[in-house]
Amino acid sequence: MQTFLVGGAVRDALLGRPVKDHDWVVIGADPAAMLAAGFIPVGQDFPVFLHPQTHEEYALARTERKTAPGYHGFAFHAAPDVTLEQDLARRDLTINAMAQDAQGQLIDPYGGQRDLAAKVLRHVSPAFGEDPVRILRLARFAARFSDFSVAPETLALMQTMVAQGEVDALVAERVWQEISRGLMEAQPSRMFEVLRACGALARLCPELDRLFGVPQPAQHHPEIDTGVHALIVIDRAAAEQGPLDLRYACLCHDLGKGLTAPELLPRHIGHEGLSAKLAKQLSERWRVPNECKELAELVAREHTHVHQSGDFGPEARLRLMERCDAWRRPERFALMLWACECDARGRLGLEDRAYPQRQQLLNDLARLQALDLSLVSAQALAEGKTGPAIGRAVQAARLAALQASSA
């Protein structure tokens, strides 16, 4: 019975990156031996155990073979006679197929260290083509290691997998799991570029895929291409360390521009409402969390109004905040304004331009939150007002506060 450190911990140590998780492979053992040693079983599909002290994962070495389409269609074989090289051979990328023994000796049968040095994402074996999740994982690694390229033979294999319909077998939860993790990497645009290059983006997110090649007015968008703009905006949110719901909203904010009639280009009149509908459609298909779904729809619907709000009077700014439910959802309103700033600055050569609209609307909201509306309601009641009339009195007090600040 031997144990080896494997996968990401070995890779990240070689790269000089922080090692977050330690995964171990056990050679020459069976489940009975693991239980006898005090390990806690947790694996459902194949034997995985938690160390009794460290609670790190220890998996018995295994092989796998394809039995059906999709990523569930696998049969696993775990036995004491499975070698370390056989276990590493089933892994996705060479950079993830290295191991280290108890003495710190590197075991690298598939050239992972070479590919780390060359900054290449390369599949270990043709078995990569049996699991469509690996397309998503590779794209996610491209977002993390943004200066790595995809080996030409690996990209060709991914294209073949897409053509054979493997990607269509992915379930929504697994797609979102990988996409959401990729969105939180340092350069999320790389994930979508890789998915587009292999044809998977058109299958998984046609709403985003069809933005590429669609022009926008050059005076507002020097990058011109709508798809390119979308990726710049996502990277802007990542550069500012934005949370997942912000990054997802940035992904969805202009989806409607892919449906603009050709004769109207490069203008996109009414794209906001279309974008909100497509954002909802995508969120439901991927089954994204509600906070991501709601923010994406709000940003898609209102981002143009926020951009224009610097020219709004108090009445229009108040209506904007009412539509955004700013009083009850101030945190979401602040995230929406952040996404709008990412949109405004996510344009070629305009990354550092000022965006006073965000702070102005935050200041407006702070003024309205400082109002003592209980006094307004009490006064309205004293005047004999009820129901909607009290609501109008509250709205009038809010408007008066904004007018005073604009005077």
Side-chain angles (χ1 to χ4, degrees):
M1 179 172 169
Q2 293 176 281
T3 60
F4 297 86
L5 185 64
V6 294
V10 178
R11 177 199 67 224
D12 290 344
L14 289 172
L15 287 171
R17 285 173 164 248
V19 176
K20 297 179 181 177
D21 299 307
H22 294 86
D23 293 313
W24 304 84
V25 159
V26 183
I27 308 297
D30 59 18
M34 299 296 286
L35 292 172
F39 284 82
I40 305 158
V42 294
Q44 293 181 345
D45 298 324
F46 42 80
V48 179
F49 301 83
L50 297 182
H51 190 282
Q53 277 82 47
T54 67
H55 296 287
E56 293 177 340
E57 284 195 0
Y58 284 67
L60 294 185
R62 66 185 187 269
T63 60
E64 57 190 41
R65 61 185 176 86
K66 185 81 164 175
T67 58
Y71 75 98
H72 278 311
F74 289 93
F76 300 97
H77 171 67
D81 62 349
V82 177
T83 68
L84 177 62
E85 287 73 17
Q86 287 175 315
D87 182 271
L88 295 175
R90 68 175 175 77
R91 297 173 183 268
D92 50 4
L93 303 176
T94 60
I95 64 170
N96 297 329
M98 296 180 284
Q100 194 176 70
D101 65 17
Q103 289 71 46
Q105 182 73 30
L106 184 70
I107 298 98
D108 181 18
Y110 305 107
Q113 193 171 24
R114 173 202 64 208
D115 285 339
L116 275 184
K119 297 185 176 181
V120 173
L121 301 173
R122 189 191 316 276
H123 64 289
V124 174
S125 76
F128 181 100
E130 298 177 347
D131 185 355
V133 171
R134 290 179 168 179
I135 292 177
L136 290 167
R137 278 175 52 84
L138 185 148
R140 174 165 61 80
F141 280 118
R144 180 183 303 179
F145 305 120
S146 57
D147 55 346
F148 280 50
S149 62
V150 180
E153 65 270 26
T154 302
L155 182 60
L157 177 57
M158 293 162 66
Q159 290 168 338
T160 299
M161 294 168 68
V162 173
Q164 292 174 342
E166 282 284 345
V167 170
D168 301 326
L170 289 168
V171 298
E173 290 84 357
R174 197 58 199 271
V175 172
W176 174 246
Q177 181 183 35
E178 296 296 332
I179 292 290
S180 61
R181 292 177 71 182
L183 281 170
M184 294 307 295
E185 296 289 4
Q187 193 174 335
S189 62
R190 288 275 288 135
M191 172 173 63
F192 297 106
E193 288 169 354
V194 168
L195 292 176
R196 183 168 176 252
C198 71
L201 189 63
R203 308 300 303 169
L204 298 171
C205 190
E207 299 89 347
L208 178 63
D209 186 69
R210 62 174 164 245
L211 294 183
F212 291 92
V214 175
Q216 303 171 102
Q219 67 269 32
H220 301 303
H221 289 275
E223 70 285 350
I224 298 176
D225 190 295
T226 305
V228 171
H229 165 63
L231 297 190
I232 296 174
V233 175
I234 299 167
D235 282 350
R236 179 83 239 170
E240 297 185 14
Q241 304 289 307
L244 176 61
D245 44 359
L246 174 80
R247 300 186 195 203
Y248 180 68
C250 288
L251 171 73
C252 296
H253 81 284
D254 267 350
L255 293 179
K257 290 182 176 179
L259 298 179
T260 299
E263 62 270 17
L264 298 178
L265 294 174
R267 300 183 68 201
H268 296 275
I269 300 168
H271 78 276
E272 299 86 358
L274 279 173
S275 297
K277 289 179 182 177
L278 292 176
K280 181 179 181 181
Q281 173 183 299
L282 179 61
S283 298
E284 290 174 349
R285 189 170 70 249
W286 281 352
R287 300 181 186 176
V288 310
N290 276 339
E291 62 270 16
C292 292
K293 175 180 179 293
E294 292 175 0
L295 183 65
E297 291 177 41
L298 182 64
V299 172
R301 191 181 71 237
E302 299 291 350
H303 65 276
T304 301
H305 294 131
V306 175
H307 295 335
Q308 296 168 344
S309 65
D311 297 322
F312 286 179
E315 296 90 345
R317 300 205 307 277
L318 182 62
R319 287 195 298 270
L320 172 60
M321 286 188 280
E322 286 173 341
R323 288 197 305 274
C324 296
D325 201 11
W327 342 117
R328 292 195 308 162
R329 305 288 298 277
E331 295 86 2
R332 189 183 68 177
F333 184 68
L335 279 174
M336 183 203 68
L337 297 178
W338 189 358
C340 292
E341 181 168 0
C342 289
D343 174 31
R345 298 174 65 188
R347 309 179 190 204
L348 196 62
L350 301 177
E351 297 85 358
D352 298 319
R353 72 168 171 176
Y355 192 73
Q357 297 94 318
R358 178 182 176 187
Q359 192 57 54
Q360 180 188 30
L361 288 168
L362 286 174
N363 291 343
D364 283 345
L365 180 59
R367 289 187 186 93
L368 300 189
Q369 288 175 316
L371 289 176
D372 189 344
L373 295 178
S374 62
L375 292 178
V376 176
S377 299
Q379 178 64 31
L381 284 169
E383 295 171 359
K385 295 176 180 176
T386 59
I390 296 176
R392 288 192 292 272
V394 167
Q395 186 181 36
R398 286 171 171 157
L399 179 58
L402 291 185
Q403 287 170 334
S405 70
S406 302

